[in-house]
Amino acid sequence: PQFFFEDFSAGQVMEFGPRLVIREEIIEFASQFDPQPMHLTDEGAKATMLGTLGASGWHTCAVMMRMACDGIVLKMASMGAPGIDEVKWMKPMRPDDQLTLRITVRETRASRSRPQMGFVVLFQELFNQRRECIATLQTPLMVGRRSAATAQAGG
């Protein structure tokens, strides 16, 4: 890994993107995982508060996860996450949106029970091309400590 627990501090900000979302991707995700009318066709969305085709909130979260993985998570000594503290959908993700993900480190704390790791609390904000925040997500990640990696490597 390129980054360990010690490399993160509260207040750090990272941005990743842009990532284009296309109509077919929205429909394909919805067809498999959230087949509500507003996620499948413009016609189906007309009778809903969305008015036109909008992505499932779960698709939005999946896109955020992919962007976070590509940007930082796969470069970290990530040991997973115990869950998500909070997710909010403020605006629908739409076809042809150009998305940017901003991640802010909210907190870091060493684990009391597992000295080989710590927790890095990440607050994620997903913006469309108009810089409107369409979703937020906060999660504590378990991240390996550099000292534990050195000990494992025999050094």
Side-chain angles (χ1 to χ4, degrees):
Q2 192 176 347
F3 300 103
F4 293 88
F5 170 75
E6 295 85 355
D7 296 313
F8 297 94
S9 58
Q12 262 181 296
V13 177
M14 302 159 263
E15 278 205 7
F16 308 105
R19 182 191 189 284
L20 176 66
V21 177
I22 61 172
R23 173 178 296 279
E24 293 77 16
E25 174 186 358
I26 290 171
I27 294 167
E28 183 179 328
F29 185 95
S31 295
Q32 280 194 280
F33 302 108
D34 192 355
Q36 297 182 71
M38 69 280 250
H39 305 318
L40 295 170
T41 65
D42 282 315
E43 190 61 38
K46 280 183 184 173
T48 73
M49 66 181 189
L50 295 186
T52 61
L53 184 72
S56 164
W58 298 113
H59 184 191
T60 304
C61 287
V63 167
M64 291 173 80
M65 186 68 209
R66 181 59 197 239
M67 292 178 75
C69 281
D70 290 346
I72 189 70
V73 174
L74 295 177
K75 299 171 188 168
M76 303 168 65
S78 175
M79 302 169 83
I84 293 175
D85 293 337
E86 171 184 290
V87 67
K88 290 183 181 177
W89 300 302
M90 280 78 87
K91 292 183 173 290
M93 186 170 71
R94 303 276 190 184
D96 301 320
D97 272 355
Q98 286 278 352
L99 304 173
T100 302
L101 181 67
R102 180 169 58 206
I103 298 177
T104 303
V105 177
R106 284 263 171 102
E107 170 190 346
T108 62
R109 62 183 164 78
S111 173
R112 288 183 218 115
S113 60
R114 295 183 182 172
Q116 73 275 20
M117 61 171 263
F119 292 92
V120 177
V121 178
L122 300 179
F123 180 69
Q124 301 181 32
E125 299 166 281
L126 189 65
F127 297 94
N128 63 21
Q129 64 277 7
R130 291 177 295 284
R131 291 301 285 177
E132 298 168 327
C133 185
I134 64 171
T136 62
L137 184 150
Q138 182 166 297
T139 185
L141 287 183
M142 299 178 291
V143 182
R145 298 186 76 147
R146 185 172 279 110
S147 55
T150 304
Q152 281 184 342

